[in-house]
């Protein structure tokens, strides 16, 4: 195994050793920035890149060598060290990595894993179960014993933990052995290893300390490869690569290339700091932690893969290793900044080659050609004992202490800092949530609100479903982003307050408003029909949908005015008086003149509408004014025309009256309006209705109402349980039933379709499992359950929330309580 | 998780109330890949032909729209050579409340009634507009060649 580390090129390096030890910084720099963009240089770019890598390698090597004290003995010793130390002659740079055994191993492993994933696939036809095969095999006892043995063991059932354990055992043994080795190395380099004189611990320590670093690294690499292969094999046999969980094997989220680069670098003694006399050298302890933590994660994955149910669980190992590395990071920072007394003086060992590899300029050039997906850590060679304390503001370079008591792998900063920031943001969100709820509602009900983590909305917010098969990093990123974007102010996270005031957009609100007072319903205002046609009909009775309820708790200013005003003028009386008066004028045949003026209003009142829009509770006054104005203005214009006609002695409009009489009959028979509570109003209603419906169309509309008795229609309406209203066509189809009674028909399929439709209509359109509870404003679609709403809210930024039914922009939502 | 239940429910609904002219089955063991076949109506240019297409549902269905790819070649102005069909409900107008059966019905409509104002393939659309007889002939020929 040792020979594999330096396969091809010792001779080349031997050459460079002999070269004069003059570092060439200038040419190196100039060559690195000398890329001219003509055609030939483009073609030669790859070769130049390679040459640059090699040059960088050589340069670094030369630099390292040149800092070795140039006393003859020292040089000889360093040469001897480097050439005779048979193992790694190559400087652990990127070029060396490409040619090392690690790269070969990676390539082979890649091919192997790919083939396993594609070939090891359970057969389509289900294989007979273990017992069945046993029974079958028993019948063939005449066969040889080998066959019988064969038949009793195979086919294996991979759902059983014992078979999986058998597969995993060898690799598990090796992994654990390497883990223990690394742990002991760590303890030894940080001087925590118990120095007993004899016994298992002592012999273990002795054995470990005799291991060469490159051996350890190489063995670690091999055991990881073996573990990956076994896991991929098992996963393939399981068939869990197919189907719903299209996750590729455990291998892909773990950055094996980066990790093996790490191992490669720390195989060579050049990068080692800790050099006990007459024992193999060791890298810095922080580096060891960085190497050991992913190994721990992989071991846990391997253990989890023993049991089928746990084999997709990724959260715990990734979380554990992230937490450990974060802990390591923060402890190091803490000890560096707050415990400066642990500075040890320069090492008394003069033989220690002092690597002067300032990280600022020289690492940049070689770093660029190497693909920068180095994953968890790309440690720099350990920093030189410069003996200066860097200013705390310098985030890139952290060396202060000789012998590296606070030397920390450089690029570990970035992922660790990022993770820390994410964790802090999430913690901040949770704390703010908890504080808000605690202060306002007295108990912390849903601290995880808005983070997209809660499983369902029942049983309160402490219940959360940790996503077991996601990586910790992924979860952190997702929740962190959600917490940064969580907003209770807009979009689907915005719960609208309880509605006090009826939202009134225009002087002609489409739907009615009910005003409630202490004694009950004070007044129902009416909605108006849509613009179009000659009249804008006021909706009355059953055609007036009341959509807003004013409990009187609403706006102050206008209601105050309104409260005062009855003392001066009795508005209500005035209104009724006007109606009464209107009734008489209609009866005397001036109905057309008075009533048909509504079509003028849209033009004149447009401006008024826009002005009055969104004013809140001024509806009643406005409507009252409207009525009066309507009739006033209408009078002026249409009255002239009627008068003209009268003057011309033409017959004045008997058509309308005639129609009105017919429809009036229809109305008498029809169900009386339940909305109005005033008798005067009803009579007045009749009269104004007559003038409003002064069209032939209206006659046709209500003709059938007048013709038939209303009872069956009413019954059909009331026994209907579906969400959509009973239209004429549907009613007709009910009537056309071939069966005996229409009721008989409507009962049976209604019952069937009732449950079906109830299921469909009551369930959320997104998950179709929970009942709908959320309506969106302003579109008011009741379509989602609370869980889906939360998911939607955390997915997109709030300005882009759209209703899942009608795709209008969502400003807020409300919960609907269906008792 | 919500994706699974919803897909199962949709599949159950379609199997309970199959749409006329469309057959649906799932690919192997994955509920996220549907293999569907549509039998062209008898008054369409592609009558007697059966056209297969796959509907692949994304992992975060229903928040993202499914993708439809035709595996049978069809001479249609709204379906290109690679088998992608241009349907607004599958791109911009997707909302989570759109059911897969409605998507299938829309696709069926589109196939049975090729519309020249909707060109994924401009040449075919132009031909349909200018020389309808030739379009019908080519459509019939392609149907015979690929979809029978």
């Amino acid at each position: 195994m040792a020979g594999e580390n330096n396969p091809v090129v010792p001779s080349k390096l031997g050459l460079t050793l002999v070269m004069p030890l003059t570092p060439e910084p200038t040419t190196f720099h100039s060559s690195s920035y000398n890329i001219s963009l003509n055609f030939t240089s483009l073609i030669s770019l790859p070769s130049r890149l390679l040459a640059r890598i090699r040059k960088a390698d050589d340069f670094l090597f030369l630099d390292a060598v040149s800092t070795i004290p140039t006393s003859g003995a020292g040089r000889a010793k360093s040469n001897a060290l480097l050439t005779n130390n048979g193992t790694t002659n190559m400087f652990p740079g990127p070029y060396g990595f490409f040619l090392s055994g690690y790269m070969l191993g990676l390539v082979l492993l890649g091919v192997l894993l790919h083939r396993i994933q594609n070939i090891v696939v359970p057969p389509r036809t289900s294989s007979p179960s273990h017992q069945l095969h046993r029974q079958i095999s028993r019948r063939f006892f005449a066969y040889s014993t080998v066959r019988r043995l064969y038949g009793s063991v195979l086919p294996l059932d991979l759902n059983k933990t014992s078979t999986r354990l058998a597969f995993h055992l060898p690799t598990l043994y090796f992994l654990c052995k390497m883990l223990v080795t690394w742990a002991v190395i760590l303890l030894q380099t940080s001087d925590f290893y118990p120095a007993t004189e004899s016994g298992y611990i002592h012999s273990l320590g002795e054995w470990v300390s005799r291991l060469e670093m490159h051996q350890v690294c190489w063995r670690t690499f091999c055991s990881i490869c073996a573990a990956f292969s076994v896991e991929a094999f098992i996963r393939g046999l399981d068939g869990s690569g197919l189907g719903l969980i299209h996750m590729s094997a455990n291998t892909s989220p773990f950055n094996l290339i980066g990790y093996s680069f790490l191992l490669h670098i720390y195989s060579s003694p050049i990068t080692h700091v800790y050099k006990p006399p007459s024992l193999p050298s060791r890298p810095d302890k922080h580096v060891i932690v960085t190497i050991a933590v992913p190994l721990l994660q992989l071991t846990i994955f391997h253990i989890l893969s023993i049991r089928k149910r746990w084999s997709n669980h990724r959260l715990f190992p990734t979380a554990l290793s992230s937490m450990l590395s974060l802990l390591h990071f923060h402890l190091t920072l803490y000890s560096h900044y707050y415990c400066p007394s642990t500075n040890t003086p320069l090492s008394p060992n003069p033989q220690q080659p002092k690597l002067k590899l300032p990280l600022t300029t020289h690492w940049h050039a070689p770093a660029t050609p190497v693909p920068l997906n180095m994953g968890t850590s790309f440690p720099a060679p350990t920093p030189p004992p410069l003996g200066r304390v860097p200013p705390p503001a310098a985030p890139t370079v952290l060396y202060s202490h000789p012998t590296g008591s606070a030397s920390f792998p450089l690029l570990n900063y970035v992922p660790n800092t990022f993770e820390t920031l994410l964790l802090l943001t999430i913690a901040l969100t949770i704390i703010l949530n908890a504080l808000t709820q605690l202060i306002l509602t007295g108990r912390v009900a849903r601290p995880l609100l808005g983070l997209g983590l809660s499983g369902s909305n029942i049983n309160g917010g402490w219940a959360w479903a940790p996503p077991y098969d996601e990586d910790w990093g992924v979860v952190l990123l997702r929740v962190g982003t959600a917490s940064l974007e969580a907003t209770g102010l807009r979009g689907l996270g915005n719960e609208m307050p309880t509605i006090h005031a009826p939202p009134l957009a225009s002087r002609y609100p489409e739907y009615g408003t009910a005003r409630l007072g202490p004694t009950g319903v004070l007044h129902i205002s009416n909605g108006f029909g849509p613009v179009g046609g000659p009249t804008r009909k006021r909706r009355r009775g059953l055609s007036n949908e009341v959509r807003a309820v004013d409990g009187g708790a609403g706006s102050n200013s206008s209601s105050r005015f309104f409260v005062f005003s009855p003392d001066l003028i009795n508005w209500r009386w005035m209104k009724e008086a006007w109606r009464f008066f209107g009734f008489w004028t209609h009866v005397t045949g001036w109905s057309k003149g008075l009533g048909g003026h509504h079509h003028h209003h849209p033009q004149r009142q447009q401006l008024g509408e826009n002005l009055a829009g969104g004013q809140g509770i001024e509806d009643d006054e406005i409507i009252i004014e409207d009525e009066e104005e309507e009739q006033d203005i209408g009078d002026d214009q249409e009255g002239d025309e009627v008068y003209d006609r009268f003057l011309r002695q033409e017959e004045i409009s008997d058509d309308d009256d005639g129609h009105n009489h017919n429809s009036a009959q229809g109305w008498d028979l029809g169900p009386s309006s339940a909305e109005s509570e005033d008798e005067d109003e009803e009579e007045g209603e009749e009269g104004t209705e007559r003038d409003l419906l002064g069209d032939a169309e209206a006659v046709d509309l209500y003709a059938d109402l007048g013709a038939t008795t209303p009872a069956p229609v009413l019954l059909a309406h009331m026994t209907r349980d579906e969400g959509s209203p009973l239209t004429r066509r549907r009613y007709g189809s009910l009537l056309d039933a071939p069966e005996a009674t229409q009721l008989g028909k409507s009962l049976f399929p209604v019952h069937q379709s009732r449950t079906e439709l109830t299921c469909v209509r009551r369930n959320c359109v997104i998950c179709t499992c929970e009942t709908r509870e959320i309506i969106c404003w302003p579109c008011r679609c009741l379509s989602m359950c609370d869980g889906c709403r939360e998911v939607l809210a955390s997915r997109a930024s709030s300005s882009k929330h759209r209703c899942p039914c009608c795709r209008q922009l969502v400003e807020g939502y409300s919960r609907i309580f269906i008792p | 998780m919500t994706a699974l239940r919803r897909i199962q429910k949709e599949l159950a609904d379609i199997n309970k109330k199959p749409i006329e002219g469309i057959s649906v089955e799932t690919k192997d063991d994955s509920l996220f890949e549907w293999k569907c076949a549509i039998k062209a109506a008898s008054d369409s240019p592609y009558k007697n032909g059966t056209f297969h297409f796959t509907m692949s549902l994304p992992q975060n269905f229903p928040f993202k729209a499914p993708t439809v790819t035709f595996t049978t070649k069809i001479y249609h102005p709204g379906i290109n050579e690679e088998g992608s069909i241009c349907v607004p409900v599958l791109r911009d107008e997707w909302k989570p409340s759109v059911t897969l059966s409605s998507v299938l019905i829309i696709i069926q409509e589109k196939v049975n009634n090729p519309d020249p104002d909707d060109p994924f393939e401009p040449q075919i659309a132009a031909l349909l507009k200018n020389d309808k007889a030739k379009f019908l002939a080519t459509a019939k020929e392609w149907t015979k060649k690929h979809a029978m």
Side-chain angles (χ1 to χ4, degrees):
Chain A
M1 266 199 191
E4 286 184 74
N5 274 347
N6 48 340
V8 187
V9 209
S11 57
K12 257 194 212 148
L13 211 50
L15 263 176
T16 53
L17 269 182
V18 170
M19 268 169 60
L21 295 175
T22 51
E24 305 162 321
T26 50
T27 53
F28 174 75
H29 274 294
S30 59
S31 69
S32 69
Y33 295 105
N34 193 12
I35 301 181
S36 54
L37 279 178
N38 50 26
F39 192 58
T40 49
S41 75
L42 272 181
I43 288 182
S44 59
L45 196 61
S47 61
R48 288 181 68 152
L49 278 178
L50 269 179
R52 248 198 301 141
I53 298 177
R54 281 196 44 207
K55 241 187 162 169
D57 257 6
D58 297 346
F59 171 70
L60 288 165
F61 183 68
L62 292 175
D63 195 32
V65 169
S66 72
T67 59
I68 291 173
T70 50
S71 66
R75 195 204 280 187
K77 177 157 188 185
S78 64
N79 279 349
L81 212 106
L82 293 160
T83 48
N84 293 345
N85 190 3
T87 52
T88 24
N89 286 340
M90 272 196 278
F91 188 78
Y95 188 63
F97 176 62
F98 280 123
L99 294 182
S100 70
Y102 288 96
M103 201 50 165
L104 188 67
L106 280 177
V107 168
L108 286 178
L109 182 70
V111 170
L112 181 67
L113 285 182
H114 188 259
R115 289 291 86 207
I116 287 180
Q117 278 172 25
N118 281 315
I119 297 180
V120 178
V121 160
R124 295 294 169 237
T125 60
S126 57
S127 50
S129 70
H130 197 58
Q131 280 86 15
L132 190 59
H133 193 88
R134 256 211 191 149
Q135 289 171 6
I136 295 175
S137 67
R138 252 188 234 129
R139 286 168 38 189
F140 297 98
F141 60 87
Y143 281 32
S144 67
T145 47
V146 173
R147 202 100 188 240
R148 247 191 297 157
L149 228 80
Y150 172 91
S152 64
V153 170
L154 305 170
L156 291 173
D157 178 13
L158 272 142
N159 291 327
K160 291 173 62 162
T161 312
S162 46
T163 26
R164 291 169 83 105
L165 184 65
F167 268 103
H168 282 91
L169 267 178
T171 43
L172 196 61
Y173 164 69
F174 281 114
L175 272 181
C176 289
K177 183 169 123 176
M178 295 324 297
L179 199 59
V180 165
T181 314
W182 281 103
V184 170
I185 293 180
L186 177 65
L187 290 176
Q188 282 177 345
T189 50
S190 42
D191 296 325
F192 282 130
Y193 198 70
T196 54
E197 280 310 311
S198 64
Y200 285 120
I201 297 183
H202 178 71
S203 49
L204 179 66
E206 284 294 301
W207 173 71
V208 169
S209 59
R210 296 209 189 286
L211 286 176
E212 292 276 350
M213 206 59 208
H214 66 89
Q215 284 175 334
V216 176
C217 289
W218 181 251
R219 284 182 195 169
T220 314
F221 179 70
C222 292
S223 41
I224 291 181
C225 289
F228 276 179
S229 321
V230 167
E231 275 180 25
F233 189 63
I234 295 285
R235 200 174 277 262
L237 287 177
D238 239 350
S240 59
L242 312 167
L244 307 170
I245 304 170
H246 281 286
M247 242 192 285
S248 47
N250 233 350
T251 58
S252 58
F254 181 71
N255 185 4
L256 189 59
I257 297 182
Y259 192 66
S260 49
F261 188 71
L262 196 63
L263 289 177
H264 168 73
I265 287 187
Y266 286 102
S267 312
S268 122
I270 298 182
T271 50
H272 294 168
V273 168
Y274 183 75
K275 292 194 192 307
S278 77
L279 282 176
S281 56
R282 298 280 182 250
D284 182 60
K285 60 179 184 267
H286 297 286
V287 170
I288 295 182
V289 174
T290 325
I291 294 184
V293 167
L295 185 63
L296 178 68
Q297 175 185 340
L298 286 179
T299 316
I300 299 183
F301 273 135
H302 205 61
I303 294 177
L304 283 181
S305 146
I306 289 180
R307 197 162 163 178
K308 177 163 180 165
R309 265 195 335 154
W310 295 341
S311 59
N312 281 326
H313 183 120
R314 295 183 60 86
L315 189 64
F316 172 65
T318 44
L320 183 67
S321 61
S322 279
M323 283 309 186
L324 282 177
S325 63
L326 268 182
L327 198 65
H328 172 224
F329 177 64
H330 286 290
L331 278 180
T332 314
L333 277 182
Y334 176 76
S335 67
H336 168 58
Y337 282 114
Y338 290 105
C339 313
S341 59
T342 57
N343 258 349
T344 58
L346 272 172
S347 159
N349 186 359
Q351 298 295 352
Q352 216 173 358
K354 300 190 178 99
L355 280 178
K356 222 190 276 173
L357 284 171
L359 287 162
T360 46
T361 53
H362 296 245
W363 261 119
H364 285 314
T368 43
V370 175
L372 272 180
N373 51 351
M374 281 293 158
T376 53
S377 67
F378 178 15
T382 54
L386 289 181
R388 60 177 165 92
V389 179
T396 54
V397 168
L398 176 65
Y399 9 97
S400 59
H401 311 283
T403 70
S405 67
S407 56
F408 192 80
L410 180 67
L411 267 138
N412 247 357
Y413 265 95
V414 174
N416 278 325
T417 331
F418 192 53
E419 270 192 31
T420 317
L421 285 175
L422 279 178
L423 278 174
L424 285 177
T425 325
I426 297 174
L428 178 72
T429 315
I430 296 183
I431 290 175
L432 284 178
N433 265 339
L435 266 181
T436 320
Q437 287 162 15
L438 192 64
I439 293 178
L440 289 180
T441 61
R443 55 188 199 93
V444 181
R446 297 158 58 100
L448 297 173
L449 189 65
L451 287 182
L453 267 183
S454 60
S456 70
N457 53 346
I458 7 175
N459 305 333
W462 281 113
W464 64 303
Y468 279 114
D469 49 357
E470 280 185 27
D471 278 355
W472 169 254
V474 170
V475 171
L476 210 59
L477 197 58
R478 186 164 60 89
V479 176
T481 326
S483 73
L484 275 179
E485 286 186 344
T487 166
L489 290 178
R490 289 181 302 280
L492 276 171
N494 172 24
E495 178 156 11
M496 298 286 284
T498 42
I499 312 283
H500 295 299
L504 182 58
S506 65
R507 300 186 82 139
Y508 291 88
E510 180 133 339
Y511 297 99
T513 318
R515 270 197 70 238
L516 306 177
T519 52
V521 180
L522 287 182
H523 175 65
I524 305 279
S525 71
N526 301 103
F528 288 83
V531 179
T535 62
R536 189 157 195 187
K537 313 174 190 170
R538 275 183 68 217
R539 295 196 177 171
R540 294 197 178 263
L542 270 179
S543 54
N544 175 27
E545 179 176 1
V546 170
R547 288 250 174 122
V549 173
D550 171 30
S555 67
N556 357 11
S557 56
S558 54
S559 58
R560 209 179 292 140
F561 174 72
F562 197 81
V563 162
F564 284 144
S565 45
D567 297 344
L568 308 173
I569 307 170
N570 195 341
W571 289 107
R572 205 152 150 68
W573 185 88
M574 289 290 285
K575 197 164 74 137
E576 298 316 310
W578 182 255
R579 280 224 183 96
F580 185 74
F581 179 65
F583 166 72
W584 281 109
T585 54
H586 298 160
V587 165
T588 53
W590 290 358
S591 57
K592 182 171 194 302
L594 281 177
H597 312 313
H598 300 282
H599 66 281
H600 285 292
H601 293 290
Q603 295 127 21
R604 291 172 120 252
Q605 303 288 344
Q606 278 285 318
L607 198 56
E609 267 179 51
N610 293 339
L611 286 179
Q615 286 299 316
I617 315 282
E618 298 186 340
D619 47 338
D620 277 309
E621 310 161 40
I622 295 175
I623 290 180
I624 294 172
E625 287 163 9
D626 275 351
E627 287 173 51
E628 296 166 313
E629 273 184 10
E630 270 167 26
Q631 298 177 336
D632 274 340
I633 296 168
D635 261 344
D636 294 336
Q637 297 180 340
E638 285 281 326
D640 292 337
E641 194 197 304
V642 175
Y643 189 59
D644 286 340
R645 287 168 67 188
F646 172 69
L647 286 181
R648 279 172 278 163
Q649 304 205 334
E650 287 173 0
E651 285 242 14
I652 298 179
S653 68
D654 272 326
D655 327 321
D656 304 333
D657 274 344
H659 287 298
N660 280 345
H661 280 305
N662 282 346
S663 62
Q665 278 178 6
W667 268 104
D668 286 335
L669 293 174
S672 63
S673 140
E675 300 293 343
S676 64
E677 75 272 326
D678 233 345
E679 287 166 320
D680 285 348
E681 223 177 276
E682 257 198 65
E683 288 183 325
E685 167 191 327
E686 201 182 6
T688 44
E689 210 45 60
R690 233 178 273 149
D691 61 78
L692 287 175
L693 297 174
D695 296 335
E697 172 196 326
V699 175
D700 294 327
L701 274 181
Y702 293 106
D704 56 350
L705 275 183
T708 64
T709 55
V713 183
L714 190 55
L715 200 55
H717 275 278
M718 283 168 57
T719 54
R720 188 176 170 81
D721 195 31
E722 289 139 23
S724 50
L726 182 69
T727 58
R728 276 193 177 72
R729 189 150 45 107
R730 289 187 192 157
Y731 181 68
S733 64
L734 272 185
L735 284 181
D736 289 335
E739 298 198 359
T741 62
Q742 55 174 327
L743 280 185
K745 168 150 169 92
S746 61
L747 267 182
F748 183 63
V750 159
H751 177 70
Q752 217 180 25
S753 61
R754 184 184 295 173
T755 47
E756 202 180 284
L757 274 175
T758 331
C759 248
V760 167
R761 291 214 169 268
R762 293 286 175 262
N763 283 355
C764 166
V765 292
I766 298 179
C767 62
T768 63
C769 316
E770 314 264 338
T771 51
R772 307 185 190 195
E773 267 183 357
I774 304 289
I775 60 168
C776 306
W777 293 101
C779 65
R780 281 180 281 104
C781 291
L782 173 69
S783 54
M784 297 183 276
C785 62
D786 203 34
C788 290
R789 178 202 58 82
E790 241 187 77
V791 174
L792 268 183
S794 67
R795 273 175 60 90
S797 65
S798 62
S799 60
K800 295 203 216 90
H801 288 162
R802 286 189 178 268
C803 169
C805 260
C806 61
R807 294 190 79 245
Q808 294 182 44
L809 280 174
V810 170
E811 293 292 321
Y813 77 98
S814 285
R815 288 172 211 278
I816 298 293
F817 301 98
I818 304 181
Chain B
M1 231 240 303
T2 53
L4 258 182
R5 297 223 17 204
R6 160 119 178 209
I7 297 177
Q8 279 169 348
K9 199 153 196 191
E10 299 237 24
L11 199 57
D13 284 339
I14 289 188
N15 285 331
K16 200 162 41 170
K17 275 206 189 138
I19 309 172
E20 198 183 308
I22 301 187
S23 71
V24 173
E25 60 183 26
T26 54
K27 208 181 217 182
D28 305 335
D29 300 323
S30 163
L31 277 180
F32 283 78
E33 299 277 326
W34 288 19
K35 285 209 302 218
C36 318
I38 171 173
K39 213 160 146 51
S42 44
D43 56 350
S44 83
Y46 313 98
K47 71 173 181 190
N48 293 339
T50 317
F51 301 94
H52 297 269
F53 57 96
T54 57
M55 184 146 64
S56 33
L57 309 170
Q59 285 296 323
N60 49 5
F61 182 82
F63 300 109
K64 278 242 151 71
T67 41
V68 170
T69 325
F70 271 75
T71 48
T72 321
K73 274 178 68 112
I74 178 172
Y75 193 71
H76 193 282
I79 305 177
N80 71 358
E81 268 200 10
E82 282 119 34
S84 346
I85 183 170
C86 174
V87 178
V89 90
L90 287 179
R91 289 176 214 271
D92 307 321
E93 291 175 16
W94 169 260
K95 40 194 166 113
S97 57
V98 173
T99 57
L100 292 174
S101 43
S102 60
V103 172
L104 288 173
I105 291 179
I106 291 179
I107 294 182
Q108 184 182 37
E109 275 295 309
K110 250 193 158 237
V111 167
N112 283 330
N113 308 316
D115 181 15
D117 303 323
D118 178 28
F120 221 18
E121 291 276 354
Q123 295 130 340
I124 305 184
L127 190 67
L128 174 57
K129 232 181 185 157
N130 303 332
D131 192 355
K132 187 150 182 191
K134 190 145 178 252
F135 170 82
L136 290 174
T138 326
K140 206 166 172 184
E141 183 193 324
W142 279 41
T143 313
K144 240 190 211 114
K145 227 181 355 177
H146 303 286
M148 294 271 203

